[in-house]
Amino acid sequence: MMTAPEITCVHDCHAVLGEGPFWDVREQRLYWVDIKSRLIHRFDPSAGRDETWPMPEDVGSLAPRDRGGLVVALKSGFHFYDPVERELAPAALPDGEPANNRFNDGKTDRQGRFWAGSMDDAEKVPTGGLYCLEPNLRCRKMVDGIICSNSLCWSPDSRTMYYADSWRRTVWAWDFDPATGDIANRRVFITVAADAGIPDGATVDSEGFIWIAQWGGWRLVRYDPTGKIVRTIMMPVEQPSCPAFGGSSLDIMYVTSASIHLSADRIARQPQAGGLFSVDAGVKGLPEARFRG
Ligand code: BGC
Ligand code: CA
């Protein structure tokens, strides 16, 4: 039997809705967001220090840019942010996003496009969709009819894209064309059982297995590429939200979490809710690409 891995709360900060961890290989730091506190965070594990930058709107996800600074998915769409000058500038504001929507899960594909999904902020109606922002700033809507966009990640060979609607408990897979970013042949990858939470953020490890944070299920689950559960890691928090590999050897899994919607007595049973965790899962991740635009 596999022993339980070491899990450490590396930053016990009670985020409301911690999300979107992104390990920047160049800076050796972990960017992440607290969507509802409207904060960009950057954690430096070598110093044990976390910095924050306030945003004017809910901030769903981000990625560092090749030329420096960040691309961020705010409620109103894609923006560039310069953390040194603290300047925000619109990059692409998709038309037709209803007022009830905000942006949520997002990251770069291995070719350096930035993808982010939107969602109904009340998590009731399927007004969300998935957008792809290309380095030339062309912005395309790729999927629609989604209640809550999550679990975006790509196989190591970039031939498969994964993406979920959390409230349908379903993660789909698509054939992915790395040259064009086109997606095709949508099929169900997994459906999460009712007692195991709902699929939230995901990442792919160097063996091509998919790790999914199961919100409400107190767990991280590792799936093989056929969708079979091969490992379950129980977390000390009910709402783990997203994993990302980091560290100089990409062998530390960082996991964000949320304290939103938890009553005082539930929080009492998980005092680190909203913290940032490291998990020694015994596998390595893959480096994430910076946004090329
Ligand atoms: C969203 C939350 C949502 C959760 C469900 C997160 O990505 O930001 O609003 O409740 O997913 O899994
Ligand atoms: Ca998420």
Side-chain angles (χ1 to χ4, degrees):
M1 208 188 112
M2 204 171 253
T3 53
E6 196 179 314
I7 301 177
T8 309
C9 184
V10 293
H11 188 51
D12 190 8
C13 57
H14 308 283
V16 175
L17 184 47
E19 273 286 0
F22 191 114
W23 177 259
D24 186 37
V25 174
R26 204 190 288 172
E27 291 184 7
Q28 294 285 301
R29 285 177 174 71
L30 186 83
Y31 285 92
W32 59 286
V33 298
D34 182 343
I35 298 177
K36 287 293 168 187
S37 302
R38 302 184 167 179
L39 288 174
I40 291 174
H41 285 257
R42 184 173 65 180
F43 179 66
D44 175 358
S46 63
R49 177 162 166 253
D50 186 81
E51 298 164 87
T52 58
W53 290 265
M55 290 287 108
E57 303 171 12
D58 288 359
V59 50
S61 45
L62 55 72
R65 301 171 71 190
D66 229 4
R67 61 185 76 181
L70 305 170
V71 57
V72 295
L74 300 184
K75 177 176 162 69
S76 58
F78 300 97
H79 297 256
F80 294 132
Y81 185 61
D82 178 341
V84 177
E85 303 298 333
R86 297 184 175 246
E87 276 168 13
L88 197 61
L93 307 177
D95 299 327
E97 278 292 292
N100 59 297
N101 273 14
R102 65 166 168 86
F103 272 88
N104 196 49
D105 193 81
K107 59 164 70 97
T108 46
D109 63 26
R110 303 191 189 289
Q111 293 68 44
R113 304 175 191 90
F114 183 69
W115 296 64
S118 60
M119 62 180 276
D120 169 27
D121 195 33
E123 311 192 24
K124 299 274 184 254
V125 289
T127 47
L130 178 65
Y131 292 84
C132 172
L133 181 66
E134 296 178 7
N136 63 10
L137 305 189
R138 179 164 79 124
C139 185
R140 292 197 283 162
K141 191 173 199 183
M142 308 300 284
V143 180
D144 58 19
I146 298 292
I147 303 171
C148 180
S149 289
N150 266 316
S151 307
L152 189 60
C153 56
W154 286 264
S155 62
D157 65 4
S158 292
R159 291 288 167 196
T160 308
M161 184 183 88
Y162 303 95
Y163 170 68
D165 187 338
S166 298
W167 293 106
R168 292 193 169 92
R169 324 186 73 87
T170 303
V171 183
W172 295 279
W174 281 257
D175 295 340
F176 186 74
D177 182 340
T180 61
D182 290 338
I183 57 175
N185 187 25
R186 171 179 178 158
R187 64 254 176 205
V188 172
F189 170 58
I190 55 141
T191 305
V192 173
D195 61 355
I198 59 173
D200 198 337
T203 192
V204 170
D205 66 30
S206 60
E207 295 166 12
F209 287 47
I210 299 89
W211 289 87
I212 301 182
Q214 295 187 187
W215 172 283
W218 300 82
R219 72 193 72 191
L220 273 174
V221 182
R222 186 180 191 228
Y223 295 88
D224 77 9
T226 70
K228 181 169 160 258
I229 294 179
V230 294
R231 195 166 172 200
T232 297
I233 296 178
M234 298 311 289
M235 295 290 294
V237 287
E238 186 172 344
Q239 297 177 154
S241 54
C242 191
F245 287 93
S248 53
S249 315
L250 296 174
D251 58 350
I252 300 166
M253 192 157 47
Y254 288 102
V255 182
T256 51
S257 70
S259 57
I260 195 169
H261 304 321
L262 295 175
S263 61
D265 63 307
R266 288 190 94 86
I267 294 268
R269 276 180 275 146
Q270 45 185 305
Q272 294 166 325
L276 174 67
F277 293 85
S278 69
V279 179
D280 176 15
V283 278
K284 289 190 181 194
L286 295 166
E288 299 292 354
R290 285 184 162 220
F291 178 55
R292 298 251 156 84

